[in-house]
Amino acid sequence: MTTTESTTLLDRVTVAPETGRPIPDAATREIIGHAPVHTVTDLDAAVAAARAAQPAWAALGHEERSRILHAIADEIEANAEELAVLLSREQGKPLDGPNARFEVGASAAWVRNAADTAIETEVVFEDGPARSELHYEALGVVGAIGPWNWPMMITVWQIAPALRMGNAVVVKPSEYTPLSVLALASVFNRHLPADVLTVVSGDREVGAAIAAHPGVDKIMFTGSTATGRRIVESSANNLARLTLELGGNDPGIVLPDTDVSAIAENLFWGAFINTGQTCAALKRLYVHESVYDEVVDALAELARVIPMGRGLEEGNVLGPLQNEQQFGIVARLVDDARSRGARVVSGGEPAPELGPLFYRATVVADIEDGAALVDEEQFGPVIPVVKYTDVDDAIARANASSQGLGASVWSNDPEAAVEVARRVQAGTVWINQHGAVNPNVPFGGTKASGYGHEFGVHGLKAVSSPKVISR
């Protein structure tokens, strides 16, 4: 069943202004709805209900849970345009390009993958009649704390595997994008038993309470490294298992004599996907002196011509910063780079004619490590391009960050690129692309970018309790 004009998904999840928190359109700042303001008391009730509902959900077995997940994926697809429009308004990403419609489609695809991925009993020892098997069972209640940049897709990454393995889930969305997650959950709940999936739309106090809650068995968190550290501390109270996908100041290395025309578009989207608001986006680019000027010029030209504007206007593929805080961070980092003598080749300023939080796609050249724009995660439509002469030096610079989520190597020579990739410290290193994820391929960070893996069999195991049966 799809929603009708009189009962839209937004109608279903928004509350009265006097009882809710206003949520603005990211592009225009007009209020599009009011999110519920849940409290720690609401969280306690949601966790208790989830614990009561979980055993029956687990007892359905893999086949029935997978059937239900496929029905949910069908429902997402049936409501895809309405979900995409809400997402575009609340988060800011345009409908077109690798943005809102893409995110909704990916959400359905990841639900199907969670349903279809096989997880087999593993025989870990066998000697005559002696046999030890490793089984994977539901943990109980999973607490999912999501971000504002890809609110639907990342929430699906958290909840679909958890549901498949027989867990109940309590979701805490970002305060910036709660309506998208509430709408997505309402689609899920057309097919799930009561209380198996609940959204608690609260503030940071609620998020902190989930991490420390005695009724929560697993925490999945995507967000900043600083918040991740606090979650680790809070989880000491209940020894909840953790999967943390934290910040990433992802480096890219362009090797000597690379064909720039062949990689320019992939380079651009590696940095500017979702207007740069992606944890695993390309954040700092090291380019060999032999192709440096050509890379800078190619990126700057794309930055000038790629359409930016309000997400509901067809044709735009870059949008605004999602919130005032992030807009301020981006502006500060670019201004600091300019004050250090860096060359702003394109952009470098707000675009107020488009809306309050638009910042032009920006390419910054002639900048070095030590500048805040290189050393900090900008999380916006800006890429600093750093010249190098020695590949070993570029690798050392790439590895100097405390973070290690993703990285990329760019070259005409795949073997040379792989040799460099093996030396770069990151959870994923892409060759001639950056940020591409696959539901079958494990994804996770190293160093201060977190720990634990999502996707595929690894993702199912991460939301399971391993049990050894020996005989």
Side-chain angles (χ1 to χ4, degrees), residues 127-131 471:
D127 184 9
R131 179 183 175 95
R471 60 189 184 195

Side-chain angles (χ1 to χ4, degrees), residues 34-47:
H34 291 78
V37 181
H38 293 137
T39 66
V40 173
T41 300
D42 296 315
L43 171 66
D44 291 339
V47 172

Side-chain angles (χ1 to χ4, degrees), residues 268 272 302-304 308 318 346-349 359-363 381-382:
F268 179 86
F272 289 91
L302 287 168
R304 295 185 191 104
M308 172 181 280
L318 296 175
S346 66
E349 62 184 5
Y359 199 94
R360 302 190 197 284
T362 301
V363 176
V382 184

Side-chain angles (χ1 to χ4, degrees), residues 313-391:
E313 296 175 0
E314 299 286 345
N316 291 324
V317 289
L318 296 175
L321 277 301
Q322 201 282 327
N323 56 78
E324 290 91 345
Q325 180 181 8
Q326 199 58 43
F327 182 90
I329 290 171
V330 169
R332 171 181 64 80
L333 291 174
V334 174
D335 289 346
D336 177 77
R338 186 184 282 111
S339 72
R340 292 169 177 265
R343 178 165 55 102
V344 178
V345 188
S346 66
E349 62 184 5
E353 74 279 8
L354 299 177
L357 298 184
F358 283 87
Y359 199 94
R360 302 190 197 284
T362 301
V363 176
V364 178
D366 303 340
I367 191 170
E368 295 292 336
D369 295 274
L373 180 59
V374 180
D375 293 355
E376 299 179 23
E377 183 182 18
Q378 68 273 39
F379 220 70
V382 184
I383 184 67
V385 189
V386 183
K387 184 186 295 185
Y388 77 88
T389 58
D390 179 76
V391 173

